[in-house]
Amino acid sequence: MITLKRSEEVALMREAGHLLAEVLEELAAMVAPGVTTSELDRAANRAIRQRGCFPGFLGYDGFPKHLCVSVNEQVVHGVPGGLRIREGDLVSLDCGLIHQGWWADAGLTVACGEVDPVSQRLLDVTREALRRGINAARPGNRLGDIGQAVQDHVEANGFSVVRGYTGHGIGRDMHEEPEVPNYGRAGRGVEIRPGLCIAIEPIVNQGSPGTVVQPDRWTVVTGDGLRSCYFEHTLAISESGPEVLTTTGPQEDWVD
Ligand code: MG
Ligand code: MG
């Protein structure tokens, strides 16, 4: 069942989103050669709890950490540990928190220092795909408009959309209905209405879209060993269009 949020509920999700954006800014600034993914995880836990929130990923479906860190060919759900980040890596940070019972879920890929030109293009294309998806999230459109906006931009640039992991409704739980695929046909699917709160999260592979789950049963890697990239925002739809909740910057950074 899709639940549309009332304005006072969106107000709490806006607070949650702002707090998570602050956390992610701290984490992104930590990405540097020599830093381990578990150091990022500990920093995430600290930054979330300092803000009076709960690190919602901890224990979610049994996830053992507070943050997902996926490096290079790792696609999503990377479990923090001893892995040491190196110059030239693409580091995807995916984080969620619960604030007064309401979720925010967001993430980004950070380039560690200078990355090769293809990696930089992969990052730029994925970020722009999210921006285009957000701008398709307007009342009267359908979820297929979001999916097609993301997919068209990714494929026009020669990259591929990972199919098995999607965006989602969000609110009292991290994953609510509806699913928000990163592919599709405009005009198809659930209608986008004011009060709908969703996370859009394009996951884009440099090469083929296939993925494999590692023996740790969490970490997803690309089937071909090439790199992957990811950006995510939680947004609320109002009469006037999408509002990005998980940002501290101006809406104009993301919304036309
Ligand atoms: Mg999500
Ligand atoms: Mg997420």
Side-chain angles (χ1 to χ4, degrees):
M1 190 185 67
I2 296 170
T3 60
L4 300 175
K5 275 69 180 181
R6 302 190 305 269
S7 63
E8 60 271 28
E9 296 173 330
V10 171
L12 288 169
M13 290 184 68
R14 186 179 292 119
E15 292 177 6
H18 191 93
L19 293 166
L20 178 59
E22 290 178 351
V23 170
L24 280 165
E25 281 169 19
E26 278 187 26
L27 299 178
M30 281 181 65
V31 170
V35 173
T36 65
T37 55
S38 70
E39 287 175 275
L40 291 167
D41 181 67
R42 283 195 296 275
N45 185 34
R46 204 164 46 234
I48 290 168
R49 292 186 193 272
Q50 271 172 359
R51 288 168 171 79
C53 303
F54 182 78
F57 283 14
L58 181 65
Y60 196 97
D61 287 341
F63 189 73
K65 300 287 179 176
H66 314 84
L67 172 76
C68 295
V69 187
S70 307
V71 179
N72 296 337
E73 79 282 0
Q74 295 176 347
V75 177
V76 287
H77 303 163
V79 182
L83 179 65
R84 216 169 268 286
I85 294 165
R86 293 170 305 180
E87 173 85 16
D89 283 349
L90 288 181
V91 182
S92 298
L93 307 171
D94 181 3
C95 197
L97 60 73
I98 304 169
H99 163 71
Q100 295 186 25
W102 294 92
W103 273 85
D105 179 19
L108 75 167
T109 297
V110 181
C112 180
E114 281 281 303
V115 296
D116 66 86
V118 175
S119 293
Q120 184 61 52
R121 206 163 63 77
L122 180 65
L123 192 151
D124 293 341
V125 166
T126 308
R127 189 178 191 283
E128 173 64 15
L130 173 57
R131 204 188 66 78
R132 290 181 183 219
I134 289 168
N135 281 284
R138 295 182 183 280
N141 278 0
R142 292 178 178 270
L143 292 181
D145 290 82
I146 297 174
Q148 180 163 5
V150 170
Q151 182 182 11
D152 282 357
H153 186 68
V154 168
E155 293 179 353
N157 282 280
F159 298 131
S160 64
V161 168
V162 172
R163 304 296 178 112
Y165 304 91
T166 68
H168 47 89
I170 182 168
R172 286 284 189 189
D173 199 356
M174 172 161 66
H175 295 137
E176 297 184 352
E177 289 183 40
E179 279 195 353
V180 182
N182 296 303
Y183 55 89
R185 292 277 195 82
R188 303 263 179 95
V190 170
E191 186 180 341
I192 297 166
R193 293 199 284 161
L196 183 68
C197 291
I198 52 174
I200 303 179
E201 48 183 309
I203 300 163
V204 177
N205 285 356
Q206 177 187 334
S208 64
T211 59
V212 179
V213 180
Q214 295 290 81
D216 69 8
R217 296 191 298 149
W218 281 107
T219 310
V220 177
V221 299
T222 57
D224 60 13
L226 295 176
R227 289 181 168 193
S228 188
C229 209
Y230 142 95
F231 281 81
E232 178 175 17
H233 271 309
T234 293
L235 44 144
I237 318 299
S238 72
E239 313 279 351
S240 56
E243 176 187 354
V244 176
L245 302 181
T246 41
T247 183
T248 60
Q251 289 294 309
E252 292 72 41
D253 286 356
W254 292 97
V255 183
D256 290 338

